[in-house]
Coordinates of all heavy atoms in Angstrom, one line a residue:
M1 N 0.8 -1.2 0.0 CA 0.0 0.0 0.0 C 0.9 1.2 0.0 O 1.9 1.3 0.7 CB -0.9 0.0 1.2 CG -1.8 1.2 1.3 SD -3.0 1.1 2.6 CE -4.2 0.2 1.8
S2 N 0.5 2.2 -0.8 CA 1.3 3.5 -0.9 C 0.9 4.4 0.2 O -0.2 4.5 0.7 CB 1.1 4.1 -2.2 OG -0.2 4.5 -2.5
N3 N 1.9 5.3 0.6 CA 1.7 6.3 1.7 C 1.8 7.6 1.0 O 3.0 8.1 0.7 CB 2.7 6.1 2.8 CG 2.5 7.0 3.9 OD1 2.0 8.1 3.8 ND2 3.0 6.7 5.1
R4 N 0.7 8.3 0.8 CA 0.8 9.6 0.1 C 1.6 10.6 0.8 O 2.2 11.5 0.2 CB -0.6 10.1 -0.2 CG -1.4 10.5 1.1 CD -2.7 11.1 0.8 NE -2.5 12.4 0.3 CZ -3.4 13.2 -0.3 NH1 -4.6 12.7 -0.5 NH2 -3.1 14.3 -0.7
W5 N 1.7 10.5 2.2 CA 2.5 11.5 3.0 C 4.0 11.3 2.8 O 4.7 12.2 3.2 CB 2.0 11.5 4.4 CG 0.6 11.8 4.6 CD1 -0.4 11.0 4.9 CD2 0.0 13.1 4.3 NE1 -1.6 11.6 4.9 CE2 -1.4 12.9 4.5 CE3 0.5 14.3 3.8 CZ2 -2.3 14.0 4.3 CZ3 -0.4 15.3 3.6 CH2 -1.8 15.2 3.9
R6 N 4.3 10.2 2.3 CA 5.8 9.9 2.0 C 6.1 10.1 0.5 O 7.2 9.8 0.1 CB 6.1 8.5 2.4 CG 6.1 8.3 3.9 CD 6.4 6.9 4.4 NE 7.7 6.5 3.8 CZ 8.0 5.2 3.8 NH1 7.3 4.3 4.3 NH2 9.2 4.8 3.2
G7 N 5.1 10.6 -0.2 CA 5.3 10.9 -1.6 C 5.1 9.7 -2.5 O 5.5 9.7 -3.7
E8 N 4.5 8.6 -2.0 CA 4.3 7.4 -2.7 C 3.0 7.3 -3.5 O 2.0 7.9 -3.1 CB 4.3 6.2 -1.8 CG 5.6 6.0 -1.0 CD 5.6 5.0 0.1 OE1 4.5 4.4 0.4 OE2 6.7 4.7 0.6
V9 N 3.1 6.7 -4.7 CA 1.9 6.4 -5.5 C 2.0 5.0 -5.9 O 3.0 4.4 -6.2 CB 2.0 7.3 -6.8 CG1 0.9 7.0 -7.8 CG2 2.0 8.8 -6.4
A10 N 0.8 4.4 -6.0 CA 0.7 2.9 -6.4 C 0.5 2.8 -7.9 O -0.1 3.7 -8.6 CB -0.5 2.3 -5.7
L11 N 1.1 1.8 -8.5 CA 0.9 1.4 -9.9 C 0.9 -0.1 -10.0 O 1.7 -0.8 -9.5 CB 2.1 2.0 -10.7 CG 2.0 1.8 -12.2 CD1 0.9 2.8 -12.8 CD2 3.3 2.2 -12.9
T12 N -0.1 -0.6 -10.8 CA -0.2 -2.0 -11.0 C 0.3 -2.3 -12.4 O -0.2 -1.9 -13.4 CB -1.7 -2.5 -10.8 OG1 -2.1 -2.2 -9.5 CG2 -1.7 -4.0 -11.0
V13 N 1.4 -3.1 -12.4 CA 2.1 -3.5 -13.6 C 2.0 -5.0 -13.8 O 2.5 -5.7 -12.9 CB 3.5 -3.0 -13.6 CG1 4.2 -3.4 -14.9 CG2 3.6 -1.5 -13.4
D14 N 1.5 -5.5 -14.9 CA 1.4 -6.9 -15.1 C 0.7 -7.6 -14.0 O 1.2 -8.7 -13.5 CB 2.7 -7.5 -15.5 CG 3.2 -7.1 -16.9 OD1 2.4 -6.8 -17.7 OD2 4.4 -7.1 -17.1
G15 N -0.3 -7.0 -13.4 CA -1.0 -7.6 -12.3 C -0.4 -7.5 -10.9 O -1.0 -8.0 -9.9
Q16 N 0.8 -6.9 -10.8 CA 1.4 -6.8 -9.6 C 1.5 -5.3 -9.1 O 1.9 -4.5 -9.9 CB 2.9 -7.3 -9.6 CG 3.6 -7.3 -8.3 CD 4.9 -8.0 -8.4 OE1 5.4 -8.5 -9.4 NE2 5.6 -8.1 -7.3
R17 N 1.0 -5.1 -7.9 CA 0.9 -3.7 -7.4 C 2.3 -3.3 -6.9 O 2.9 -4.1 -6.1 CB -0.1 -3.6 -6.3 CG -0.4 -2.2 -5.8 CD -1.6 -2.3 -4.9 NE -1.8 -1.0 -4.2 CZ -2.7 -0.1 -4.7 NH1 -3.4 -0.3 -5.7 NH2 -2.8 1.0 -4.0
H18 N 2.7 -2.1 -7.3 CA 4.0 -1.6 -6.9 C 3.8 -0.2 -6.3 O 2.9 0.5 -6.6 CB 5.0 -1.4 -8.1 CG 5.3 -2.7 -8.7 ND1 6.2 -3.6 -8.2 CD2 4.9 -3.2 -9.9 CE1 6.3 -4.6 -9.1 NE2 5.5 -4.4 -10.1
R19 N 4.8 0.2 -5.4 CA 4.9 1.5 -4.9 C 5.9 2.3 -5.8 O 6.8 1.7 -6.2 CB 5.4 1.6 -3.4 CG 4.4 1.2 -2.4 CD 4.9 1.2 -1.0 NE 6.2 0.6 -0.9 CZ 7.4 1.1 -0.5 NH1 7.4 2.4 -0.3 NH2 8.5 0.4 -0.4
M20 N 5.6 3.6 -6.0 CA 6.6 4.4 -6.6 C 6.9 5.6 -5.7 O 6.0 6.0 -5.0 CB 6.0 4.9 -8.0 CG 5.7 3.9 -9.0 SD 5.1 4.6 -10.5 CE 3.6 5.4 -10.1
K21 N 8.1 6.1 -5.8 CA 8.5 7.2 -5.1 C 9.7 7.9 -5.8 O 10.6 7.3 -6.2 CB 8.9 6.8 -3.7 CG 9.3 8.0 -2.8 CD 9.7 7.5 -1.4 CE 10.0 8.7 -0.5 NZ 10.2 8.3 0.9
L22 N 9.6 9.2 -5.9 CA 10.7 10.0 -6.5 C 11.7 10.4 -5.4 O 11.4 11.4 -4.7 CB 10.2 11.2 -7.3 CG 9.4 10.8 -8.6 CD1 8.9 12.0 -9.2 CD2 10.4 10.1 -9.5
T23 N 12.8 9.7 -5.3 CA 13.9 10.1 -4.4 C 14.7 11.2 -5.2 O 14.5 11.4 -6.4 CB 14.8 8.9 -4.1 OG1 15.3 8.4 -5.4 CG2 14.0 7.8 -3.4
L24 N 15.6 11.8 -4.4 CA 16.4 12.8 -5.1 C 17.3 12.2 -6.2 O 17.4 12.8 -7.3 CB 17.4 13.4 -4.0 CG 18.1 14.7 -4.4 CD1 17.1 15.8 -4.9 CD2 18.8 15.3 -3.2
G25 N 17.8 11.0 -6.0 CA 18.5 10.3 -7.0 C 17.7 10.0 -8.2 O 18.1 10.1 -9.3
A26 N 16.4 9.6 -8.0 CA 15.5 9.3 -9.1 C 15.2 10.5 -9.9 O 15.1 10.5 -11.1 CB 14.2 8.6 -8.6
L27 N 15.1 11.7 -9.2 CA 14.8 13.0 -9.9 C 16.0 13.4 -10.7 O 15.9 13.9 -11.8 CB 14.4 14.0 -8.9 CG 13.0 13.9 -8.3 CD1 12.9 14.8 -7.1 CD2 12.0 14.3 -9.3
A28 N 17.2 13.2 -10.1 CA 18.4 13.5 -10.9 C 18.6 12.7 -12.1 O 18.9 13.2 -13.2 CB 19.7 13.4 -10.0
E29 N 18.3 11.4 -12.0 CA 18.3 10.5 -13.2 C 17.2 10.9 -14.2 O 17.5 10.9 -15.4 CB 18.0 9.1 -12.7 CG 17.9 8.1 -13.8 CD 17.5 6.7 -13.2 OE1 18.1 6.3 -12.1 OE2 16.7 6.0 -13.8
L30 N 16.1 11.3 -13.7 CA 15.0 11.8 -14.6 C 15.4 13.0 -15.4 O 15.1 13.1 -16.6 CB 13.7 12.0 -13.8 CG 12.4 12.2 -14.6 CD1 12.1 11.0 -15.5 CD2 11.3 12.4 -13.6
E31 N 16.0 14.0 -14.7 CA 16.5 15.2 -15.4 C 17.4 14.8 -16.5 O 17.3 15.4 -17.6 CB 17.3 16.1 -14.4 CG 16.5 16.9 -13.4 CD 17.3 17.7 -12.5 OE1 18.6 17.5 -12.5 OE2 16.8 18.4 -11.7
E32 N 18.3 13.9 -16.3 CA 19.3 13.5 -17.3 C 18.6 12.8 -18.5 O 18.9 13.1 -19.6 CB 20.4 12.6 -16.7 CG 21.4 12.2 -17.6 CD 22.5 11.3 -17.0 OE1 22.7 11.5 -15.8 OE2 23.1 10.6 -17.7
V33 N 17.7 11.8 -18.1 CA 17.1 11.0 -19.2 C 16.2 11.9 -20.1 O 16.1 11.8 -21.3 CB 16.2 9.9 -18.6 CG1 15.3 9.3 -19.6 CG2 17.1 8.9 -17.9
L34 N 15.5 12.9 -19.4 CA 14.6 13.8 -20.2 C 15.3 15.1 -20.7 O 14.7 15.9 -21.2 CB 13.4 14.1 -19.3 CG 12.5 12.9 -19.0 CD1 11.3 13.4 -18.2 CD2 12.1 12.2 -20.2
D35 N 16.6 15.2 -20.4 CA 17.4 16.3 -20.9 C 16.9 17.6 -20.4 O 16.7 18.5 -21.2 CB 17.6 16.2 -22.4 CG 18.7 17.1 -22.9 OD1 19.7 17.3 -22.1 OD2 18.6 17.7 -24.0
E36 N 16.6 17.7 -19.1 CA 16.1 19.0 -18.5 C 17.2 19.5 -17.6 O 17.8 18.8 -16.9 CB 14.8 18.7 -17.7 CG 13.6 18.5 -18.5 CD 13.1 19.7 -19.3 OE1 13.7 20.8 -19.1 OE2 12.3 19.5 -20.2
P37 N 17.4 20.8 -17.6 CA 18.5 21.4 -16.8 C 18.2 21.5 -15.3 O 19.2 21.7 -14.6 CB 18.7 22.8 -17.5 CG 17.3 23.1 -18.0 CD 16.7 21.8 -18.4
S38 N 17.0 21.4 -14.9 CA 16.6 21.6 -13.5 C 15.3 21.0 -13.1 O 14.5 20.6 -14.0 CB 16.6 23.1 -13.2 OG 15.4 23.7 -13.8
L39 N 15.1 20.9 -11.8 CA 13.8 20.4 -11.4 C 12.7 21.3 -11.8 O 11.6 20.8 -12.1 CB 13.8 20.2 -9.8 CG 14.6 19.1 -9.3 CD1 14.7 19.2 -7.7 CD2 14.1 17.7 -9.7
V40 N 12.9 22.6 -11.7 CA 11.8 23.5 -12.1 C 11.5 23.3 -13.5 O 10.3 23.3 -13.9 CB 12.3 25.0 -11.8 CG1 11.3 26.0 -12.4 CG2 12.5 25.2 -10.3
A41 N 12.4 23.2 -14.4 CA 12.2 23.0 -15.8 C 11.4 21.7 -16.0 O 10.5 21.6 -16.9 CB 13.5 22.9 -16.6
L42 N 11.7 20.6 -15.3 CA 11.1 19.3 -15.4 C 9.6 19.5 -15.0 O 8.7 19.0 -15.7 CB 11.8 18.3 -14.5 CG 11.2 16.9 -14.4 CD1 11.3 16.3 -15.8 CD2 11.9 16.1 -13.4
V43 N 9.3 20.1 -13.9 CA 8.0 20.3 -13.4 C 7.2 21.2 -14.4 O 6.0 20.9 -14.7 CB 7.9 21.0 -12.0 CG1 6.5 21.4 -11.6 CG2 8.5 20.0 -11.0
E44 N 7.8 22.2 -14.9 CA 7.1 23.1 -15.9 C 6.8 22.4 -17.1 O 5.7 22.6 -17.8 CB 8.0 24.3 -16.2 CG 8.1 25.3 -15.1 CD 9.1 26.5 -15.4 OE1 9.9 26.3 -16.3 OE2 9.0 27.5 -14.6
R45 N 7.6 21.5 -17.5 CA 7.4 20.6 -18.7 C 6.1 19.8 -18.6 O 5.2 19.8 -19.5 CB 8.5 19.7 -18.9 CG 8.4 18.7 -20.1 CD 9.7 18.0 -20.2 NE 9.8 17.0 -21.2 CZ 10.9 16.5 -21.7 NH1 12.1 16.9 -21.3 NH2 10.9 15.6 -22.6
F46 N 5.9 19.2 -17.4 CA 4.7 18.5 -17.1 C 3.5 19.4 -16.9 O 2.4 19.1 -17.4 CB 4.9 17.5 -16.0 CG 5.6 16.2 -16.4 CD1 7.0 16.2 -16.5 CD2 4.9 15.1 -16.9 CE1 7.7 15.1 -16.9 CE2 5.6 14.0 -17.3 CZ 7.0 14.0 -17.3
E47 N 3.6 20.4 -16.1 CA 2.5 21.3 -15.8 C 2.0 22.0 -17.1 O 0.8 22.3 -17.2 CB 2.9 22.4 -14.8 CG 3.0 21.9 -13.4 CD 3.4 23.0 -12.4 OE1 3.9 24.0 -12.8 OE2 3.1 22.8 -11.2
G48 N 2.9 22.3 -18.0 CA 2.6 22.9 -19.3 C 2.0 22.0 -20.3 O 1.7 22.4 -21.4
G49 N 1.9 20.7 -20.0 CA 1.4 19.7 -21.0 C 2.3 19.4 -22.1 O 1.9 18.9 -23.2
R50 N 3.6 19.7 -21.9 CA 4.6 19.5 -23.0 C 5.4 18.2 -22.8 O 6.6 18.1 -22.9 CB 5.6 20.6 -23.0 CG 4.9 22.0 -23.4 CD 6.0 23.1 -23.5 NE 6.9 23.1 -22.4 CZ 6.7 23.8 -21.2 NH1 5.5 24.3 -21.0 NH2 7.6 23.8 -20.3
Y51 N 4.6 17.1 -22.4 CA 5.3 15.8 -22.2 C 4.7 14.8 -23.2 O 3.7 14.9 -23.7 CB 5.0 15.4 -20.8 CG 3.6 15.2 -20.4 CD1 2.9 14.0 -20.6 CD2 2.9 16.3 -19.9 CE1 1.6 13.9 -20.2 CE2 1.5 16.2 -19.5 CZ 0.9 15.0 -19.7 OH -0.4 14.8 -19.4
S52 N 5.6 13.8 -23.4 CA 5.2 12.7 -24.3 C 5.0 11.4 -23.6 O 5.2 11.3 -22.4 CB 6.4 12.5 -25.3 OG 7.5 12.0 -24.7
T53 N 4.6 10.4 -24.3 CA 4.5 9.1 -23.7 C 5.8 8.6 -23.2 O 5.9 8.0 -22.1 CB 3.9 8.1 -24.7 OG1 2.7 8.6 -25.2 CG2 3.7 6.7 -24.1
R54 N 6.9 8.9 -23.9 CA 8.2 8.5 -23.5 C 8.5 9.2 -22.1 O 9.1 8.6 -21.2 CB 9.2 9.0 -24.5 CG 10.7 8.8 -24.2 CD 11.6 9.4 -25.2 NE 12.9 9.7 -24.7 CZ 13.2 10.9 -24.2 NH1 12.4 11.9 -24.3 NH2 14.4 11.1 -23.7
D55 N 8.1 10.4 -21.9 CA 8.3 11.1 -20.7 C 7.6 10.5 -19.5 O 8.1 10.3 -18.4 CB 7.8 12.6 -20.8 CG 8.6 13.4 -21.8 OD1 9.7 13.0 -22.2 OD2 8.1 14.5 -22.2
V56 N 6.3 10.1 -19.8 CA 5.5 9.4 -18.8 C 6.2 8.1 -18.4 O 6.3 7.8 -17.2 CB 4.1 9.1 -19.3 CG1 3.3 8.2 -18.3 CG2 3.3 10.4 -19.4
L57 N 6.7 7.3 -19.3 CA 7.3 6.1 -19.0 C 8.6 6.3 -18.2 O 8.9 5.6 -17.3 CB 7.7 5.3 -20.3 CG 6.5 4.6 -21.0 CD1 6.9 4.2 -22.4 CD2 6.0 3.5 -20.2
A58 N 9.4 7.3 -18.6 CA 10.6 7.6 -17.8 C 10.3 8.0 -16.4 O 11.0 7.6 -15.5 CB 11.4 8.8 -18.5
L59 N 9.2 8.8 -16.2 CA 8.8 9.2 -14.9 C 8.4 8.0 -14.0 O 8.8 7.9 -12.9 CB 7.7 10.3 -15.0 CG 7.2 10.9 -13.7 CD1 8.3 11.5 -12.9 CD2 6.2 12.0 -14.0
L60 N 7.5 7.2 -14.6 CA 7.1 6.0 -13.9 C 8.3 5.1 -13.6 O 8.3 4.5 -12.4 CB 6.0 5.2 -14.7 CG 4.7 5.9 -15.0 CD1 3.8 5.1 -15.9 CD2 4.0 6.3 -13.7
A61 N 9.2 4.8 -14.5 CA 10.3 4.0 -14.2 C 11.2 4.6 -13.1 O 11.7 3.8 -12.3 CB 11.1 3.8 -15.5
A62 N 11.4 5.9 -13.1 CA 12.2 6.5 -12.1 C 11.5 6.4 -10.7 O 12.1 6.1 -9.7 CB 12.4 8.0 -12.4
G63 N 10.2 6.5 -10.7 CA 9.4 6.3 -9.5 C 9.5 4.9 -8.9 O 9.6 4.7 -7.7
L64 N 9.4 3.9 -9.9 CA 9.6 2.5 -9.4 C 11.0 2.3 -8.9 O 11.1 1.7 -7.8 CB 9.3 1.6 -10.6 CG 7.8 1.5 -11.1 CD1 7.7 0.9 -12.5 CD2 7.0 0.7 -10.0
R65 N 12.0 2.8 -9.6 CA 13.4 2.6 -9.1 C 13.6 3.3 -7.7 O 14.3 2.8 -6.9 CB 14.4 3.1 -10.1 CG 14.6 2.1 -11.2 CD 15.8 2.4 -12.1 NE 15.6 3.7 -12.8 CZ 14.9 3.9 -13.9 NH1 14.3 2.9 -14.5 NH2 14.9 5.1 -14.4
G66 N 12.9 4.5 -7.6 CA 13.0 5.2 -6.3 C 12.5 4.4 -5.1 O 12.9 4.6 -4.0
A67 N 11.5 3.5 -5.4 CA 10.9 2.7 -4.4 C 11.6 1.3 -4.3 O 11.1 0.4 -3.6 CB 9.4 2.6 -4.6
G68 N 12.6 1.1 -5.1 CA 13.4 -0.1 -5.0 C 13.0 -1.2 -6.1 O 13.5 -2.3 -6.0
V69 N 12.1 -0.9 -7.0 CA 11.7 -1.8 -8.0 C 12.6 -1.6 -9.3 O 12.7 -0.5 -9.8 CB 10.2 -1.6 -8.4 CG1 9.8 -2.6 -9.5 CG2 9.3 -1.8 -7.2
R70 N 13.3 -2.7 -9.7 CA 14.2 -2.6 -10.9 C 13.4 -2.8 -12.2 O 13.2 -4.0 -12.5 CB 15.3 -3.5 -10.7 CG 16.2 -3.2 -9.6 CD 17.0 -2.0 -9.8 NE 17.6 -1.5 -8.6 CZ 17.7 -0.2 -8.3 NH1 17.4 0.7 -9.2 NH2 18.3 0.2 -7.2
M71 N 12.9 -1.8 -12.8 CA 12.2 -1.9 -14.1 C 12.5 -0.7 -14.9 O 12.3 0.5 -14.4 CB 10.7 -2.0 -13.8 CG 9.9 -2.3 -15.0 SD 8.1 -2.4 -14.7 CE 8.0 -3.6 -13.4
D72 N 13.1 -0.9 -16.1 CA 13.4 0.3 -16.9 C 12.2 0.7 -17.8 O 11.2 0.0 -17.9 CB 14.6 0.0 -17.8 CG 14.5 -1.1 -18.7 OD1 13.3 -1.5 -19.1 OD2 15.5 -1.7 -19.1
A73 N 12.3 1.8 -18.4 CA 11.2 2.4 -19.2 C 10.8 1.5 -20.4 O 9.7 1.3 -20.8 CB 11.5 3.8 -19.7
D74 N 11.8 0.8 -21.0 CA 11.6 -0.1 -22.1 C 10.7 -1.3 -21.7 O 9.8 -1.7 -22.3 CB 12.9 -0.6 -22.7 CG 12.8 -1.0 -24.1 OD1 12.0 -0.4 -24.8 OD2 13.5 -1.9 -24.5
T75 N 11.1 -1.9 -20.5 CA 10.3 -3.0 -20.0 C 8.9 -2.5 -19.6 O 7.9 -3.2 -20.0 CB 11.0 -3.6 -18.7 OG1 12.3 -4.0 -19.0 CG2 10.2 -4.7 -18.1
L76 N 8.8 -1.4 -19.0 CA 7.5 -0.8 -18.7 C 6.6 -0.5 -19.9 O 5.4 -0.7 -19.9 CB 7.7 0.5 -17.9 CG 6.5 1.1 -17.1 CD1 5.9 0.1 -16.2 CD2 7.0 2.3 -16.4
A77 N 7.2 -0.2 -21.0 CA 6.5 0.1 -22.3 C 5.8 -1.1 -22.8 O 4.8 -1.0 -23.5 CB 7.5 0.7 -23.3
H78 N 6.3 -2.3 -22.5 CA 5.7 -3.5 -23.0 C 4.9 -4.2 -22.0 O 4.4 -5.3 -22.2 CB 6.9 -4.4 -23.5 CG 7.6 -3.8 -24.7 ND1 8.7 -3.1 -24.6 CD2 7.3 -3.9 -26.0 CE1 9.1 -2.7 -25.8 NE2 8.2 -3.2 -26.7
A79 N 4.7 -3.6 -20.8 CA 4.0 -4.2 -19.7 C 2.5 -3.8 -19.8 O 2.2 -2.8 -20.5 CB 4.6 -3.8 -18.4
E80 N 1.7 -4.5 -19.1 CA 0.2 -4.2 -19.0 C 0.1 -3.3 -17.7 O 0.3 -3.8 -16.6 CB -0.6 -5.4 -18.9 CG -2.1 -5.2 -18.7 CD -2.8 -4.6 -19.9 OE1 -2.3 -4.9 -21.1 OE2 -3.7 -3.9 -19.8
I81 N -0.3 -2.1 -17.9 CA -0.5 -1.2 -16.8 C -2.0 -1.1 -16.6 O -2.8 -0.7 -17.5 CB 0.1 0.2 -17.1 CG1 1.6 0.2 -17.2 CG2 -0.3 1.2 -16.0 CD1 2.3 1.4 -17.6
E82 N -2.4 -1.4 -15.3 CA -3.8 -1.4 -15.0 C -4.4 0.0 -15.2 O -3.9 0.9 -14.7 CB -4.0 -1.9 -13.5 CG -5.5 -2.0 -13.2 CD -5.6 -2.5 -11.7 OE1 -5.4 -3.7 -11.5 OE2 -5.9 -1.7 -10.8
G83 N -5.5 0.0 -16.0 CA -6.1 1.3 -16.3 C -5.7 1.9 -17.6 O -6.2 2.9 -18.0
G84 N -4.6 1.4 -18.2 CA -4.2 1.8 -19.5 C -3.4 3.1 -19.5 O -2.9 3.6 -18.4
P85 N -3.2 3.7 -20.6 CA -2.4 4.9 -20.8 C -2.9 6.1 -19.9 O -2.0 6.8 -19.4 CB -2.5 5.3 -22.3 CG -2.9 4.0 -22.9 CD -3.7 3.3 -21.9
M86 N -4.2 6.3 -19.8 CA -4.7 7.4 -19.0 C -4.3 7.2 -17.5 O -3.9 8.2 -16.8 CB -6.2 7.6 -19.2 CG -6.6 8.1 -20.5 SD -5.7 9.7 -21.0 CE -6.5 10.8 -19.8
A87 N -4.4 6.0 -17.0 CA -4.1 5.8 -15.6 C -2.6 5.9 -15.4 O -2.1 6.4 -14.4 CB -4.5 4.4 -15.2
A88 N -1.8 5.5 -16.4 CA -0.3 5.7 -16.3 C 0.0 7.2 -16.3 O 0.8 7.6 -15.4 CB 0.3 5.0 -17.5
A89 N -0.6 8.0 -17.1 CA -0.3 9.4 -17.1 C -0.8 10.1 -15.8 O -0.1 10.9 -15.3 CB -1.0 10.1 -18.3
Q90 N -1.9 9.6 -15.3 CA -2.4 10.2 -14.1 C -1.5 9.8 -12.9 O -1.1 10.7 -12.1 CB -3.8 9.7 -13.8 CG -4.4 10.3 -12.5 CD -5.8 9.8 -12.3 OE1 -6.2 8.8 -12.8 NE2 -6.6 10.6 -11.6
A91 N -1.0 8.6 -12.9 CA -0.1 8.2 -11.8 C 1.3 9.0 -11.9 O 1.8 9.3 -10.9 CB 0.2 6.7 -11.9
A92 N 1.7 9.2 -13.1 CA 3.0 10.0 -13.3 C 2.8 11.4 -12.8 O 3.7 11.9 -12.1 CB 3.3 10.0 -14.8
A93 N 1.7 12.0 -13.1 CA 1.4 13.4 -12.7 C 1.3 13.4 -11.1 O 1.8 14.3 -10.5 CB 0.1 13.9 -13.3
E94 N 0.6 12.5 -10.6 CA 0.5 12.4 -9.1 C 1.8 12.2 -8.4 O 2.1 12.8 -7.4 CB -0.5 11.3 -8.8 CG -1.0 11.3 -7.3 CD -2.0 10.2 -7.1 OE1 -2.7 9.8 -8.0 OE2 -2.2 9.9 -5.9
L95 N 2.6 11.3 -9.0 CA 4.0 11.1 -8.5 C 4.8 12.3 -8.5 O 5.5 12.6 -7.5 CB 4.6 10.0 -9.4 CG 6.0 9.5 -9.0 CD1 6.0 8.9 -7.6 CD2 6.5 8.5 -10.0
L96 N 4.8 13.1 -9.5 CA 5.6 14.3 -9.6 C 5.0 15.3 -8.6 O 5.8 16.0 -7.9 CB 5.5 14.9 -11.0 CG 6.5 16.0 -11.4 CD1 8.0 15.5 -11.1 CD2 6.4 16.4 -12.8
A97 N 3.7 15.5 -8.5 CA 3.1 16.4 -7.5 C 3.5 16.0 -6.1 O 3.8 16.9 -5.3 CB 1.6 16.4 -7.7
R98 N 3.4 14.8 -5.8 CA 3.7 14.3 -4.4 C 5.2 14.5 -4.1 O 5.5 14.7 -2.9 CB 3.3 12.9 -4.2 CG 1.8 12.7 -4.1 CD 1.4 11.4 -3.7 NE -0.1 11.3 -3.7 CZ -0.8 10.2 -3.5 NH1 -0.1 9.0 -3.2 NH2 -2.1 10.1 -3.5
A99 N 6.0 14.4 -5.0 CA 7.4 14.6 -4.8 C 7.7 16.0 -4.2 O 8.7 16.2 -3.5 CB 8.3 14.4 -6.0
F100 N 6.9 17.0 -4.6 CA 7.1 18.4 -4.2 C 6.0 18.9 -3.2 O 6.0 20.0 -2.9 CB 7.1 19.3 -5.4 CG 8.3 18.9 -6.3 CD1 8.1 18.2 -7.4 CD2 9.6 19.4 -5.9 CE1 9.2 17.8 -8.2 CE2 10.6 19.0 -6.7 CZ 10.5 18.3 -7.9
M101 N 5.2 17.9 -2.7 CA 4.2 18.3 -1.7 C 4.8 18.6 -0.4 O 5.7 17.9 0.1 CB 3.2 17.1 -1.6 CG 2.1 17.3 -0.6 SD 0.9 15.9 -0.7 CE 1.8 14.6 0.0
V102 N 4.3 19.7 0.3 CA 4.8 20.0 1.6 C 4.1 19.1 2.6 O 2.9 19.0 2.6 CB 4.5 21.5 1.9 CG1 4.9 21.8 3.3 CG2 5.2 22.4 0.9
R103 N 4.9 18.4 3.4 CA 4.3 17.4 4.3 C 4.2 18.1 5.7 O 5.1 18.8 6.1 CB 5.2 16.2 4.4 CG 5.1 15.4 3.0 CD 6.2 14.5 2.9 NE 6.2 13.8 1.6 CZ 6.6 14.3 0.4 NH1 7.2 15.4 0.4 NH2 6.6 13.6 -0.7
P104 N 3.2 17.6 6.5 CA 3.1 18.2 7.9 C 4.2 17.7 8.8 O 4.9 16.8 8.6 CB 1.7 17.6 8.3 CG 1.4 16.5 7.4 CD 2.2 16.7 6.2

């Protein structure tokens, strides 16, 4: 089960439920993979709707790795994500938002 207060988001891949979390290392990796110069630029890219399916896959893969699941974007691209592409995009957006959520 995911804990939203810890920045976690759940994603079911090939029938197996996983937690995702964007650690600082996962965010740094994501900046590099998506060729963004900063966290602000990365967030603006998603907030502005300037993201692709490749970006969503990279974000989900980074979140999975941040929670300790070893799955790359290529493997994820060929997997069955419960809820389909819209659920994947929603989980990616939620993951990014929770990474920057102020916690009590």
Side-chain angles (χ1 to χ4, degrees):
M1 177 173 278
S2 62
N3 181 338
R4 67 177 287 167
W5 299 112
R6 291 179 52 198
E8 298 172 351
V9 175
L11 184 71
T12 302
V13 180
D14 289 334
Q16 185 173 0
R17 189 173 172 94
H18 298 282
R19 285 181 309 117
M20 298 185 295
K21 182 177 181 174
L22 288 175
T23 61
L24 195 54
L27 285 165
E29 179 184 314
L30 192 58
E31 283 177 355
E32 184 177 333
V33 168
L34 297 181
D35 196 30
E36 286 294 349
S38 69
L39 286 174
V40 172
L42 180 64
V43 171
E44 287 175 346
R45 178 175 177 162
F46 280 86
E47 283 181 344
R50 297 182 314 274
Y51 59 90
S52 66
T53 304
R54 177 183 154 267
D55 297 342
V56 170
L57 287 168
L59 183 53
L60 294 177
L64 286 164
R65 281 191 299 279
V69 178
R70 297 290 165 213
M71 187 180 308
D72 62 24
D74 204 34
T75 301
L76 194 55
H78 294 93
E80 178 70 30
I81 296 175
E82 185 176 282
M86 289 304 292
Q90 184 177 23
E94 192 173 338
L95 183 61
L96 194 56
R98 285 189 185 175
F100 296 99
M101 180 174 69
V102 177
R103 291 162 184 85

